Amino acid sequence: MQAALEILGIPTWHWVTMAENPPDLAMWSDAIEAKFNPTSGKQPFGRPEFDNLLGYWGACTDQPAALFVDELVKAYPDAKVVLCERDVDRWFKSYNETVINGSANPTIPLAALLDPGILGQTSRQTNLIARYFFNVRHPKGTNSFFGKKPFFDEWRSNAIPTYLAHNDHVKRVTPADRLLRFDLAGGWEPLCKFLGKPVPDVPFPRVNETLVVQENIQAYIAESFTRTFKRTAKRVVPVVVLLCAILVLWLWR
């Protein structure tokens, strides 16, 4: 959907966009806490807060934006809503292979511990989504160094019911004249008619999102370890140089 909307000239926010802009990670996590955890003391997000996150973009896709259907429909009363109704088994296969299995990567807790500003924030947000949106109650989640298999098993078992309930919720809260129930196999015609855009002279995009997300996760982990190494080197090298200088002076006495 992101690829299709951008071909139509609509800059589109996606999870990858947030992951490449670390301050957004914390803001979205605060929005999740504010909505689902009343005891957090955080104020629910409205139009001003969503403008801070999405003001540049013409559309948004993917999680965590999908957690805020009610708020976004209310905050942007002129916006149209495209609900992609995918085959549920194919959706689960994709979601499981990308988000759940990606989050279960055993190197992520260590990377999150060493790189709290980016991988740590990503793990925190993923944990919040699993806990509040997918109703995962096992305590050892993606932001725990000792993440437990039951956490991910519970996430998998709750995924399809959550997906189906989400689709039903979108249809209930979105005014009919603002909603397109869209099958990706339908191609350009229904989407362009709904958005008032001319049909492009290129094929409707087919993106192997599973592969793209898996590659992004590996890249983020590698970048996290690289940042940690550079940060550590900046702190350690001056100390080593100083100790070497002290040793040389002591030997020359």
Side-chain angles (χ1 to χ4, degrees):
M1 274 305 301
Q2 181 195 29
L5 292 170
E6 291 193 336
I7 289 172
L8 296 177
I10 303 171
T12 302
W13 183 96
H14 188 275
W15 176 85
V16 173
T17 310
M18 173 188 62
E20 293 172 349
N21 189 30
D24 285 1
L25 285 164
M27 289 180 67
W28 279 109
S29 295
D30 287 345
I32 296 170
E33 286 268 24
K35 176 171 181 174
F36 294 97
N37 181 16
T39 63
S40 68
K42 295 180 170 60
Q43 292 299 313
F45 277 34
R47 177 67 179 259
E49 291 79 14
F50 284 118
D51 276 350
N52 283 338
L53 288 165
L54 300 169
Y56 166 79
W57 307 97
C60 62
T61 60
D62 202 31
Q63 65 180 38
L67 278 65
F68 296 94
V69 175
D70 305 71
E71 293 81 0
L72 292 171
V73 166
K74 180 179 178 180
Y76 300 99
D78 297 324
K80 297 185 176 182
V81 178
V82 179
L83 174 63
C84 292
E85 295 185 293
R86 300 175 61 182
D87 174 84
V88 68
D89 293 322
R90 292 180 64 185
W91 171 83
F92 174 75
K93 183 176 184 294
S94 174
Y95 189 77
N96 183 49
E97 290 179 0
T98 54
V99 179
I100 300 178
N101 287 348
S103 300
N105 185 317
T107 62
I108 284 183
L110 178 59
L113 183 67
L114 296 174
D115 187 24
I118 299 180
L119 253 297
Q121 285 285 354
T122 303
S123 294
R124 174 198 171 207
Q125 184 183 109
T126 304
N127 205 60
L128 290 172
I129 291 171
R131 178 181 177 187
Y132 291 125
F133 192 62
F134 289 92
N135 200 34
V136 178
R137 295 305 170 191
H138 192 279
K140 296 294 185 180
T142 60
N143 62 351
S144 167
F145 190 74
F146 300 100
K148 299 293 185 181
K149 185 176 181 292
F151 176 89
F152 300 102
D153 288 343
E154 188 178 4
W155 194 354
R156 291 184 185 96
S157 67
N158 292 354
I160 288 178
T162 300
Y163 176 76
L164 295 174
H166 170 76
N167 283 0
D168 288 341
H169 182 72
V170 172
K171 286 178 273 192
R172 283 198 307 273
V173 303
T174 309
D177 61 334
R178 295 171 57 190
L179 177 66
L180 172 66
R181 297 172 58 180
F182 183 54
D183 183 341
L184 291 169
W188 287 119
E189 292 289 345
L191 182 64
C192 291
K193 180 179 179 181
F194 179 67
L195 297 177
K197 297 284 187 179
V199 176
D201 58 356
V202 296
F204 194 86
R206 306 293 175 189
V207 179
N208 185 344
E209 189 169 11
T210 298
L211 179 61
V212 170
V213 172
Q214 289 172 339
E215 290 176 346
N216 281 332
I217 289 173
Q218 293 302 321
Y220 296 148
I221 293 172
E223 290 169 3
S224 177
F225 282 116
T226 300
R227 279 191 299 271
T228 300
F229 175 79
K230 290 180 178 178
R231 191 165 57 241
T232 303
K234 286 181 179 179
R235 295 172 180 172
V236 171
V237 169
V239 175
V240 172
V241 170
L242 177 60
L243 291 175
C244 289
I246 292 172
L247 178 62
V248 169
L249 290 173
W250 181 81
L251 291 173
W252 280 7
R253 288 177 57 187

